[in-house]
Amino acid sequence: MQELLSLSWQTQAVLIGGYLAYVIAYSGRRMNHRAFDAFAIVLVFGGFSLISLSILDSALGDNHWKHQISGVVSVVFPCLIAIAWRRFLKDWVSDKINLLAGAQEDGLPTAWDTVIQTQDVAYCQLIVSLKDGRSLESFPLGDYNDLPNGPCVLGSDGSVAMYVTHIFEKNESRPATEITNDLGSRLTYIPADQIAEVDFRREARRK
């Protein structure tokens, strides 16, 4: 920490901006990254901090607030690039690379990671089959879009949190009652080690 504080403010801004951008761009996708991977990506995003510092150094001249403005922009700018990368550019670049290489690689280690990281889809139905023989259903999921954490939470560890509407047990089903009442909404958490299978029904999100 002392070594970091001894660096120039420009270097600190580059590292901070690069790291924050890395966190934004790869939130939920960092589990498989090695230390070298993370450091390299931080440096790439930090490069945008350097670009902004170079531009502002010439543009602001002897402005009294030059260092403060440059410091803020050099942190914010790579974060904006990271948002654009996460939201728009990553899938487009991946598609072009896969097209040129004749591959289908998304950089994620498991099929579960690919499913939960897929954007622009709307979940319509969710059924979680448990190892004890029960199945829990949430349907229709669209009814819970506006609830806390709605309509469901798919954990990177394989766990699931859902608003249970029906319970299937021993060839019988019964509706879950009081999902929402005056006290709030009941969200059920299922640890990954209790889950045997997860079934989704999804559709492309309407633009």
Side-chain angles (χ1 to χ4, degrees):
M1 186 64 180
Q2 188 62 38
E3 291 80 3
L4 179 61
L5 294 176
S6 66
L7 298 174
S8 67
W9 69 266
Q10 292 95 334
T11 303
Q12 292 182 34
V14 167
L15 293 176
I16 292 171
Y19 178 74
L20 291 177
Y22 166 62
V23 171
I24 292 170
Y26 290 92
S27 176
R29 302 185 178 191
R30 290 176 285 160
M31 186 178 299
N32 201 44
H33 285 178
R34 297 167 298 175
F36 176 79
D37 298 325
F39 183 66
I41 297 172
V42 168
L43 289 182
V44 169
F45 282 115
F48 291 101
S49 290
L50 285 175
I51 293 172
S52 66
L53 285 172
S54 177
I55 294 174
L56 289 173
D57 184 61
S58 300
L60 295 177
D62 296 327
N63 188 296
H64 178 71
W65 297 98
K66 177 179 179 178
H67 289 172
Q68 290 87 340
I69 295 173
S70 297
V72 171
V73 173
S74 64
V75 172
V76 172
F77 183 55
C79 291
L80 295 177
I81 297 296
I83 292 171
W85 172 257
R86 178 69 179 250
R87 186 66 183 89
F88 307 108
L89 298 176
K90 183 183 182 301
D91 289 340
W92 183 84
V93 172
S94 296
D95 288 343
K96 299 306 178 185
I97 292 175
N98 286 335
L99 180 63
L100 293 172
Q104 289 295 326
E105 170 63 41
D106 61 8
L108 297 172
T110 68
W112 178 256
D113 289 302
T114 296
V115 168
I116 66 176
Q117 293 294 338
T118 299
Q119 303 180 37
D120 297 326
V121 295
Y123 288 89
C124 309
Q125 183 182 28
L126 171 62
I127 299 176
V128 177
S129 300
L130 306 180
K131 292 179 180 179
D132 64 7
R134 293 180 300 151
S135 293
L136 308 178
E137 179 185 39
S138 183
F139 177 80
L141 266 65
D143 290 352
Y144 309 108
N145 285 338
D146 296 329
L147 294 184
N149 301 115
C152 61
V153 179
L154 307 176
S156 59
D157 63 345
S159 61
V160 174
M162 60 190 293
Y163 295 100
V164 177
T165 59
H166 291 83
I167 301 171
F168 298 87
E169 188 174 14
K170 296 181 180 179
N171 298 321
E172 296 181 353
S173 68
R174 56 186 172 87
T177 57
E178 291 192 343
I179 297 174
T180 300
N181 59 27
D182 294 340
L183 297 176
S185 301
R186 186 181 68 246
L187 185 69
T188 301
Y189 169 77
I190 308 116
D193 60 5
Q194 296 183 20
I195 297 175
E197 183 176 287
V198 180
D199 294 287
F200 308 102
R201 193 178 299 276
R202 310 184 299 172
E203 63 179 2
R205 192 184 301 275
R206 295 181 179 88
K207 301 297 184 179

